[in-house]
Amino acid sequence: MGMSSELLVDVSAGIAVLTLNRPAQQNAFTPAMAAELGAALQRCDAEDAIRVVVITGTPPAFCAGADLSSRVGEVSATIEPAPWKVRKPVIAAVNGHAVGIGLALALQCDLRYVARDAVYGLSQVRRGVLADGYAH
């Protein structure tokens, strides 16, 4: 699968590790990241040699939410296929903060392992808005 600027992919011994890779922005989620993650999950679903998928983030965070810095249109949080549609176990290794779409992404996985010092939350509810990413 190779590497890109926003998603690192490592497949070894039947395990695909998909790493959100924008550490300077605490892995804030972008439309490009959603597209790359969807493409990687599609491949993981299709390839028999891949038996399990792990989604994590390059330290210091898992995912600090949607990247709102560009403010160009809406930040799409749609990942296709969604992690729960993959026919293999998808594990979220939440190695740091998981906020907004970051927590929604973790919730879409079959299992979640969360670091003791991780902070997680759906900040949208503080603004009276329903959280996205199927978090409800």
Side-chain angles (χ1 to χ4, degrees):
M1 275 196 208
M3 293 190 304
S4 74
S5 60
E6 297 195 9
L7 183 73
L8 303 179
V9 178
D10 178 54
V11 179
S12 178
I15 302 167
V17 179
L18 312 180
T19 306
L20 307 179
N21 188 44
R22 299 182 71 226
Q25 296 82 21
Q26 295 190 34
N27 304 318
F29 211 72
T30 67
M33 188 181 283
E36 291 175 32
L37 186 55
L41 287 170
Q42 190 169 27
R43 177 183 168 202
C44 291
D45 187 54
E47 286 192 19
D48 290 340
I50 297 172
R51 310 292 296 160
V52 66
V53 181
V54 177
I55 300 176
T56 191
T58 300
F62 178 73
C63 177
D67 186 341
L68 302 175
S69 63
S70 65
R71 298 271 178 176
V72 178
E74 291 295 315
V75 176
S76 173
T78 304
I79 302 162
E80 189 55 45
W84 75 79
K85 293 181 181 177
V86 175
R87 294 169 293 174
K88 294 149 188 185
V90 180
I91 300 167
V94 184
N95 57 315
H97 291 19
V99 180
I101 189 60
L103 179 56
L105 173 59
L107 291 173
Q108 291 181 25
C109 297
D110 299 305
L111 293 169
R112 286 151 295 284
Y113 290 92
V114 182
R116 275 189 208 280
D117 61 346
V119 173
Y120 49 94
L122 298 169
S123 52
Q124 298 95 321
V125 297
R126 290 185 184 159
R127 293 169 179 81
V129 176
L130 187 65
D132 57 356
Y134 302 102
H136 57 282

Short mmCIF file of all heavy atoms in Angstrom, two decimals, residues 63-113:
data_model
loop_
_atom_site.label_atom_id
_atom_site.label_comp_id
_atom_site.label_asym_id
_atom_site.label_seq_id
_atom_site.Cartn_x
_atom_site.Cartn_y
_atom_site.Cartn_z
N CYS A 63 -6.21 11.46 17.25
CA CYS A 63 -6.78 12.41 16.29
C CYS A 63 -7.50 13.51 17.06
O CYS A 63 -8.43 13.23 17.82
CB CYS A 63 -7.75 11.70 15.34
SG CYS A 63 -8.57 12.82 14.19
N ALA A 64 -7.06 14.74 16.87
CA ALA A 64 -7.59 15.88 17.62
C ALA A 64 -8.87 16.45 17.02
O ALA A 64 -9.28 17.55 17.38
CB ALA A 64 -6.52 16.96 17.73
N GLY A 65 -9.49 15.73 16.09
CA GLY A 65 -10.73 16.21 15.49
C GLY A 65 -10.53 16.67 14.07
O GLY A 65 -9.48 16.46 13.47
N ALA A 66 -11.56 17.30 13.53
CA ALA A 66 -11.51 17.79 12.16
C ALA A 66 -10.58 19.00 12.05
O ALA A 66 -10.54 19.84 12.94
CB ALA A 66 -12.91 18.17 11.69
N ASP A 67 -9.83 19.04 10.95
CA ASP A 67 -8.96 20.19 10.69
C ASP A 67 -9.83 21.31 10.11
O ASP A 67 -10.28 21.24 8.98
CB ASP A 67 -7.86 19.80 9.71
CG ASP A 67 -6.85 20.91 9.49
OD1 ASP A 67 -7.16 22.09 9.80
OD2 ASP A 67 -5.74 20.63 9.03
N LEU A 68 -10.07 22.32 10.91
CA LEU A 68 -10.91 23.44 10.49
C LEU A 68 -10.09 24.64 10.02
O LEU A 68 -10.64 25.71 9.77
CB LEU A 68 -11.83 23.86 11.64
CG LEU A 68 -12.74 22.76 12.19
CD1 LEU A 68 -13.51 23.27 13.40
CD2 LEU A 68 -13.67 22.24 11.12
N SER A 69 -8.77 24.47 9.90
CA SER A 69 -7.91 25.61 9.60
C SER A 69 -8.15 26.20 8.22
O SER A 69 -8.03 27.40 8.04
CB SER A 69 -6.44 25.22 9.76
OG SER A 69 -6.10 24.22 8.82
N SER A 70 -8.47 25.36 7.24
CA SER A 70 -8.63 25.89 5.88
C SER A 70 -9.98 26.58 5.69
O SER A 70 -10.11 27.51 4.92
CB SER A 70 -8.48 24.77 4.85
OG SER A 70 -9.52 23.83 4.99
N ARG A 71 -11.01 26.09 6.40
CA ARG A 71 -12.36 26.65 6.32
C ARG A 71 -12.87 26.69 4.88
O ARG A 71 -13.69 27.53 4.54
CB ARG A 71 -12.41 28.07 6.90
CG ARG A 71 -12.07 28.13 8.36
CD ARG A 71 -13.30 27.95 9.18
NE ARG A 71 -12.97 27.95 10.59
CZ ARG A 71 -13.86 27.89 11.53
NH1 ARG A 71 -15.13 27.85 11.23
NH2 ARG A 71 -13.50 27.88 12.78
N VAL A 72 -12.38 25.79 4.04
CA VAL A 72 -12.85 25.73 2.65
C VAL A 72 -13.93 24.66 2.59
O VAL A 72 -13.63 23.48 2.60
CB VAL A 72 -11.70 25.40 1.68
CG1 VAL A 72 -12.22 25.31 0.26
CG2 VAL A 72 -10.61 26.45 1.80
N GLY A 73 -15.18 25.08 2.55
CA GLY A 73 -16.27 24.12 2.51
C GLY A 73 -16.37 23.34 3.79
O GLY A 73 -15.82 23.70 4.82
N GLU A 74 -17.08 22.25 3.73
CA GLU A 74 -17.26 21.40 4.90
C GLU A 74 -16.14 20.36 4.97
O GLU A 74 -15.67 19.88 3.94
CB GLU A 74 -18.61 20.67 4.81
CG GLU A 74 -19.79 21.60 4.98
CD GLU A 74 -19.85 22.23 6.36
OE1 GLU A 74 -19.66 21.51 7.35
OE2 GLU A 74 -20.06 23.45 6.44
N VAL A 75 -15.74 20.02 6.17
CA VAL A 75 -14.77 18.95 6.35
C VAL A 75 -15.55 17.64 6.35
O VAL A 75 -16.36 17.40 7.23
CB VAL A 75 -14.00 19.11 7.68
CG1 VAL A 75 -13.06 17.94 7.89
CG2 VAL A 75 -13.23 20.41 7.69
N SER A 76 -15.34 16.84 5.32
CA SER A 76 -16.06 15.58 5.22
C SER A 76 -15.45 14.56 6.17
O SER A 76 -14.25 14.33 6.16
CB SER A 76 -16.01 15.04 3.80
OG SER A 76 -16.56 13.75 3.76
N ALA A 77 -16.28 13.98 7.01
CA ALA A 77 -15.81 12.97 7.95
C ALA A 77 -16.23 11.58 7.49
O ALA A 77 -16.11 10.63 8.23
CB ALA A 77 -16.37 13.26 9.34
N THR A 78 -16.73 11.47 6.27
CA THR A 78 -17.22 10.19 5.78
C THR A 78 -16.06 9.33 5.32
O THR A 78 -15.26 9.73 4.48
CB THR A 78 -18.21 10.40 4.62
OG1 THR A 78 -19.24 11.26 5.07
CG2 THR A 78 -18.80 9.09 4.16
N ILE A 79 -15.99 8.14 5.92
CA ILE A 79 -14.97 7.16 5.54
C ILE A 79 -15.74 6.00 4.89
O ILE A 79 -16.65 5.44 5.49
CB ILE A 79 -14.20 6.65 6.77
CG1 ILE A 79 -13.55 7.82 7.50
CG2 ILE A 79 -13.18 5.61 6.36
CD1 ILE A 79 -13.16 7.49 8.91
N GLU A 80 -15.38 5.67 3.66
CA GLU A 80 -16.08 4.61 2.94
C GLU A 80 -15.09 3.58 2.44
O GLU A 80 -14.22 3.93 1.65
CB GLU A 80 -16.87 5.22 1.78
CG GLU A 80 -17.80 4.27 1.09
CD GLU A 80 -18.81 3.58 2.02
OE1 GLU A 80 -19.42 4.24 2.87
OE2 GLU A 80 -18.96 2.37 1.86
N PRO A 81 -15.16 2.36 2.90
CA PRO A 81 -16.18 1.85 3.82
C PRO A 81 -15.91 2.28 5.25
O PRO A 81 -14.76 2.49 5.63
CB PRO A 81 -16.04 0.32 3.68
CG PRO A 81 -14.59 0.12 3.37
CD PRO A 81 -14.20 1.30 2.51
N ALA A 82 -16.97 2.37 6.04
CA ALA A 82 -16.80 2.65 7.46
C ALA A 82 -16.07 1.46 8.10
O ALA A 82 -16.23 0.32 7.65
CB ALA A 82 -18.16 2.84 8.12
N PRO A 83 -15.27 1.71 9.14
CA PRO A 83 -14.54 0.61 9.77
C PRO A 83 -15.41 -0.59 10.15
O PRO A 83 -14.98 -1.73 10.02
CB PRO A 83 -13.89 1.27 10.99
CG PRO A 83 -13.67 2.68 10.55
CD PRO A 83 -14.88 3.00 9.71
N TRP A 84 -16.65 -0.35 10.61
CA TRP A 84 -17.47 -1.48 11.04
C TRP A 84 -17.95 -2.34 9.87
O TRP A 84 -18.45 -3.44 10.07
CB TRP A 84 -18.65 -1.02 11.90
CG TRP A 84 -19.77 -0.37 11.14
CD1 TRP A 84 -20.75 -0.99 10.41
CD2 TRP A 84 -20.04 1.02 11.03
NE1 TRP A 84 -21.59 -0.07 9.85
CE2 TRP A 84 -21.19 1.18 10.22
CE3 TRP A 84 -19.43 2.16 11.56
CZ2 TRP A 84 -21.73 2.42 9.92
CZ3 TRP A 84 -19.97 3.39 11.24
CH2 TRP A 84 -21.10 3.52 10.44
N LYS A 85 -17.81 -1.84 8.63
CA LYS A 85 -18.21 -2.62 7.46
C LYS A 85 -17.11 -3.56 6.97
O LYS A 85 -17.36 -4.42 6.14
CB LYS A 85 -18.63 -1.69 6.32
CG LYS A 85 -19.90 -0.92 6.61
CD LYS A 85 -20.26 -0.03 5.43
CE LYS A 85 -21.53 0.75 5.71
NZ LYS A 85 -21.83 1.68 4.60
N VAL A 86 -15.88 -3.37 7.45
CA VAL A 86 -14.77 -4.23 7.06
C VAL A 86 -15.01 -5.61 7.68
O VAL A 86 -15.36 -5.72 8.85
CB VAL A 86 -13.42 -3.63 7.53
CG1 VAL A 86 -12.26 -4.57 7.23
CG2 VAL A 86 -13.19 -2.28 6.85
N ARG A 87 -14.82 -6.66 6.89
CA ARG A 87 -15.15 -8.02 7.33
C ARG A 87 -14.05 -8.67 8.16
O ARG A 87 -14.02 -9.88 8.30
CB ARG A 87 -15.47 -8.89 6.12
CG ARG A 87 -16.75 -8.42 5.41
CD ARG A 87 -16.92 -9.10 4.09
NE ARG A 87 -15.85 -8.65 3.19
CZ ARG A 87 -15.65 -9.16 1.99
NH1 ARG A 87 -16.40 -10.12 1.52
NH2 ARG A 87 -14.68 -8.69 1.23
N LYS A 88 -13.19 -7.88 8.72
CA LYS A 88 -12.13 -8.35 9.61
C LYS A 88 -12.14 -7.46 10.84
O LYS A 88 -12.67 -6.36 10.79
CB LYS A 88 -10.77 -8.25 8.90
CG LYS A 88 -10.71 -9.22 7.72
CD LYS A 88 -9.84 -8.71 6.63
CE LYS A 88 -10.00 -9.63 5.42
NZ LYS A 88 -9.11 -9.27 4.36
N PRO A 89 -11.58 -7.91 11.94
CA PRO A 89 -11.56 -7.05 13.14
C PRO A 89 -10.78 -5.76 12.87
O PRO A 89 -9.68 -5.81 12.31
CB PRO A 89 -10.85 -7.90 14.19
CG PRO A 89 -10.93 -9.31 13.69
CD PRO A 89 -10.98 -9.22 12.20
N VAL A 90 -11.38 -4.64 13.25
CA VAL A 90 -10.71 -3.34 13.15
C VAL A 90 -10.56 -2.81 14.57
O VAL A 90 -11.54 -2.64 15.28
CB VAL A 90 -11.50 -2.34 12.27
CG1 VAL A 90 -10.76 -1.00 12.20
CG2 VAL A 90 -11.71 -2.90 10.87
N ILE A 91 -9.32 -2.59 14.97
CA ILE A 91 -8.99 -2.19 16.33
C ILE A 91 -8.47 -0.76 16.33
O ILE A 91 -7.58 -0.41 15.55
CB ILE A 91 -7.90 -3.12 16.92
CG1 ILE A 91 -8.41 -4.57 16.93
CG2 ILE A 91 -7.48 -2.67 18.31
CD1 ILE A 91 -7.32 -5.59 17.19
N ALA A 92 -9.04 0.07 17.21
CA ALA A 92 -8.52 1.43 17.40
C ALA A 92 -7.51 1.39 18.54
O ALA A 92 -7.86 1.04 19.66
CB ALA A 92 -9.65 2.39 17.72
N ALA A 93 -6.27 1.73 18.24
CA ALA A 93 -5.23 1.86 19.26
C ALA A 93 -5.12 3.35 19.57
O ALA A 93 -4.37 4.08 18.92
CB ALA A 93 -3.91 1.28 18.77
N VAL A 94 -5.92 3.82 20.52
CA VAL A 94 -6.04 5.24 20.83
C VAL A 94 -4.88 5.63 21.74
O VAL A 94 -4.96 5.49 22.95
CB VAL A 94 -7.42 5.57 21.44
CG1 VAL A 94 -7.58 7.06 21.66
CG2 VAL A 94 -8.54 5.05 20.55
N ASN A 95 -3.82 6.11 21.12
CA ASN A 95 -2.56 6.36 21.81
C ASN A 95 -2.44 7.78 22.34
O ASN A 95 -1.39 8.17 22.82
CB ASN A 95 -1.40 6.09 20.85
CG ASN A 95 -1.49 6.92 19.59
OD1 ASN A 95 -2.55 7.03 19.00
ND2 ASN A 95 -0.39 7.52 19.19
N GLY A 96 -3.51 8.54 22.29
CA GLY A 96 -3.48 9.92 22.77
C GLY A 96 -4.85 10.53 22.57
O GLY A 96 -5.83 9.81 22.36
N HIS A 97 -4.94 11.82 22.58
CA HIS A 97 -6.23 12.51 22.49
C HIS A 97 -7.05 12.03 21.29
O HIS A 97 -6.51 11.85 20.19
CB HIS A 97 -6.02 14.02 22.37
CG HIS A 97 -5.48 14.66 23.61
ND1 HIS A 97 -4.84 13.96 24.61
CD2 HIS A 97 -5.49 15.94 24.01
CE1 HIS A 97 -4.49 14.79 25.57
NE2 HIS A 97 -4.88 16.01 25.24
N ALA A 98 -8.34 11.84 21.52
CA ALA A 98 -9.30 11.47 20.48
C ALA A 98 -10.52 12.35 20.69
O ALA A 98 -11.31 12.11 21.59
CB ALA A 98 -9.66 9.99 20.57
N VAL A 99 -10.64 13.38 19.88
CA VAL A 99 -11.67 14.39 20.08
C VAL A 99 -12.50 14.53 18.81
O VAL A 99 -11.96 14.45 17.70
CB VAL A 99 -11.03 15.75 20.45
CG1 VAL A 99 -12.08 16.83 20.65
CG2 VAL A 99 -10.15 15.60 21.69
N GLY A 100 -13.79 14.75 18.94
CA GLY A 100 -14.67 14.96 17.79
C GLY A 100 -14.62 13.77 16.86
O GLY A 100 -14.86 12.64 17.26
N ILE A 101 -14.27 14.03 15.59
CA ILE A 101 -14.22 12.94 14.61
C ILE A 101 -13.16 11.91 15.00
O ILE A 101 -13.26 10.74 14.63
CB ILE A 101 -14.00 13.48 13.17
CG1 ILE A 101 -14.17 12.36 12.13
CG2 ILE A 101 -12.64 14.13 13.02
CD1 ILE A 101 -15.53 11.70 12.12
N GLY A 102 -12.16 12.30 15.79
CA GLY A 102 -11.17 11.33 16.26
C GLY A 102 -11.82 10.28 17.15
O GLY A 102 -11.55 9.09 17.03
N LEU A 103 -12.69 10.72 18.07
CA LEU A 103 -13.41 9.77 18.92
C LEU A 103 -14.43 9.00 18.09
O LEU A 103 -14.60 7.79 18.26
CB LEU A 103 -14.09 10.48 20.09
CG LEU A 103 -14.90 9.57 21.02
CD1 LEU A 103 -14.05 8.44 21.59
CD2 LEU A 103 -15.53 10.38 22.14
N ALA A 104 -15.11 9.68 17.16
CA ALA A 104 -16.08 9.00 16.30
C ALA A 104 -15.40 7.88 15.51
O ALA A 104 -15.95 6.78 15.39
CB ALA A 104 -16.75 9.99 15.36
N LEU A 105 -14.20 8.13 15.01
CA LEU A 105 -13.45 7.11 14.29
C LEU A 105 -13.17 5.91 15.19
O LEU A 105 -13.37 4.76 14.80
CB LEU A 105 -12.13 7.68 13.74
CG LEU A 105 -11.17 6.69 13.10
CD1 LEU A 105 -11.82 5.97 11.92
CD2 LEU A 105 -9.90 7.41 12.66
N ALA A 106 -12.73 6.18 16.41
CA ALA A 106 -12.47 5.08 17.35
C ALA A 106 -13.74 4.29 17.64
O ALA A 106 -13.73 3.06 17.73
CB ALA A 106 -11.86 5.63 18.64
N LEU A 107 -14.87 5.00 17.78
CA LEU A 107 -16.14 4.34 18.06
C LEU A 107 -16.61 3.49 16.89
O LEU A 107 -17.37 2.53 17.08
CB LEU A 107 -17.21 5.37 18.42
CG LEU A 107 -17.02 6.10 19.75
CD1 LEU A 107 -18.04 7.22 19.89
CD2 LEU A 107 -17.10 5.14 20.92
N GLN A 108 -16.19 3.81 15.67
CA GLN A 108 -16.58 3.03 14.50
C GLN A 108 -15.83 1.70 14.40
O GLN A 108 -16.21 0.83 13.62
CB GLN A 108 -16.33 3.83 13.22
CG GLN A 108 -17.27 5.01 13.04
CD GLN A 108 -17.02 5.77 11.75
OE1 GLN A 108 -16.50 5.23 10.78
NE2 GLN A 108 -17.39 7.03 11.74
N CYS A 109 -14.77 1.54 15.19
CA CYS A 109 -13.98 0.31 15.16
C CYS A 109 -14.63 -0.75 16.04
O CYS A 109 -15.46 -0.46 16.89
CB CYS A 109 -12.55 0.60 15.63
SG CYS A 109 -11.68 1.74 14.54
N ASP A 110 -14.24 -2.01 15.82
CA ASP A 110 -14.81 -3.13 16.58
C ASP A 110 -14.34 -3.14 18.03
O ASP A 110 -15.10 -3.49 18.93
CB ASP A 110 -14.46 -4.45 15.91
CG ASP A 110 -15.01 -4.52 14.49
OD1 ASP A 110 -16.23 -4.33 14.33
OD2 ASP A 110 -14.22 -4.75 13.55
N LEU A 111 -13.09 -2.80 18.26
CA LEU A 111 -12.49 -2.76 19.60
C LEU A 111 -11.71 -1.47 19.75
O LEU A 111 -11.17 -0.96 18.77
CB LEU A 111 -11.53 -3.93 19.81
CG LEU A 111 -12.11 -5.33 19.84
CD1 LEU A 111 -11.00 -6.36 19.79
CD2 LEU A 111 -12.94 -5.51 21.10
N ARG A 112 -11.63 -0.98 20.98
CA ARG A 112 -10.85 0.22 21.27
C ARG A 112 -9.93 -0.04 22.46
O ARG A 112 -10.39 -0.51 23.49
CB ARG A 112 -11.78 1.40 21.61
CG ARG A 112 -12.50 1.96 20.43
CD ARG A 112 -13.83 2.56 20.78
NE ARG A 112 -14.81 1.60 21.28
CZ ARG A 112 -15.46 0.73 20.51
NH1 ARG A 112 -15.25 0.70 19.22
NH2 ARG A 112 -16.33 -0.12 21.04
N TYR A 113 -8.68 0.26 22.29
CA TYR A 113 -7.71 0.24 23.40
C TYR A 113 -7.25 1.68 23.57
O TYR A 113 -6.73 2.27 22.63
CB TYR A 113 -6.54 -0.69 23.09
CG TYR A 113 -6.96 -2.14 23.09
CD1 TYR A 113 -7.37 -2.77 21.93
CD2 TYR A 113 -7.00 -2.86 24.29
CE1 TYR A 113 -7.79 -4.09 21.94
CE2 TYR A 113 -7.42 -4.18 24.31
CZ TYR A 113 -7.80 -4.79 23.13
OH TYR A 113 -8.23 -6.10 23.16
#
